[in-house]
Amino acid sequence: MNISPIVVSLRTAAISIFITFFLGIFLAYLVMKIKKEKVRAVIDALLTLPLVLPPTVVGFILLYIFGTGRPIGAFFLEFFRVKIVFSWGATVLAAVVMSFPLMYRSARGAFQAIDENLIYSAQTLGISQSRIFWRVILPSAREGVISGGVLAFARALGEFGATAMIAGNIDGRTRTLPLAIYSAVMAGNMEEASKYVILILLLSVVIIIYINRLPYLESFGLKRRKK
């Protein structure tokens, strides 16, 4: 079995979750602080959009934005000598975009579930907003945030459609586990495809077991079971 898709997938998922984790927390907190409900609703919809769009549509949009013939893609190529499309970086970009909504929604749901009296008490003590976030809000929401991170990691690991559109299916560079399964099936190599499928199933089971050991996500309308 060729291990390069495993290495590419794990590298992609590891880098993408590092970006998604902190970006999701930051934007969830910022959106929660917006006072105007209509503005908050519009921003929230835009940040959640990749969750409901078909992955191939997201991939097409990314390809349209970062293609070498487009302004942003041409800018990176001319000034940084970086070609985004059909590179390993494109696999990370696709994974971040597709997994971000899960991290964002989970973090926002966890923040909204915090008892506001804790925040008000900290404010009356004269604690700065940044310290309130790090000492009160984030610790109180840590279980929901961790759950969101695990879900986002799993989503990045299983990303297929957007990755195929913007990164391609280049063996040893952009071929992730889902793309390796597709390639093996198309080549009639069912034995190799089965090995990749078993590996992904095992990883998925481990992730599900870990999530089940954490409190259920408020953002999905579920509550922790009472003992």
Side-chain angles (χ1 to χ4, degrees), residues 35 64-65 93 107 125 141 171 188:
K35 301 298 182 183
Y64 188 83
I65 294 174
L93 176 62
L125 294 174
D171 188 23

Side-chain angles (χ1 to χ4, degrees), residues 68-111:
T68 54
R70 310 306 302 176
I72 295 179
F75 173 80
F76 276 93
L77 185 61
E78 181 177 353
F79 290 95
F80 300 103
R81 296 290 186 267
V82 174
K83 182 183 178 182
I84 296 177
V85 295
F86 304 116
S87 67
W88 177 74
T91 67
V92 175
L93 176 62
V96 167
V97 173
M98 293 304 300
S99 64
F100 170 81
L102 287 172
M103 185 66 228
Y104 163 75
R105 297 294 300 183
S106 300
R108 189 181 169 195
F111 291 157

Side-chain angles (χ1 to χ4, degrees), residues 5 15 38 52 59 79 97 123 132 160 188 214 222:
I15 298 298
K38 291 183 179 180
V52 296
F79 290 95
V97 173
Q123 290 174 342
I132 289 175
F160 175 80
L214 296 171
L222 299 172

Side-chain angles (χ1 to χ4, degrees), residues 176-226:
T176 58
L177 277 171
L179 288 169
I181 294 171
Y182 175 80
S183 299
V185 171
M186 291 296 100
N189 191 347
M190 301 304 290
E191 182 180 353
E192 182 171 297
S194 298
K195 291 178 181 178
Y196 289 137
V197 168
I198 291 171
L199 178 59
I200 287 184
L201 284 174
L202 291 174
L203 289 172
S204 300
V205 168
V206 170
I207 290 170
I208 291 171
I209 291 174
Y210 181 77
I211 291 174
N212 285 338
R213 294 175 63 88
L214 296 171
Y216 295 101
L217 300 181
E218 296 290 339
S219 57
F220 288 96
L222 299 172
K223 297 180 180 178
R224 183 191 296 189
R225 294 176 180 175
K226 294 181 180 179

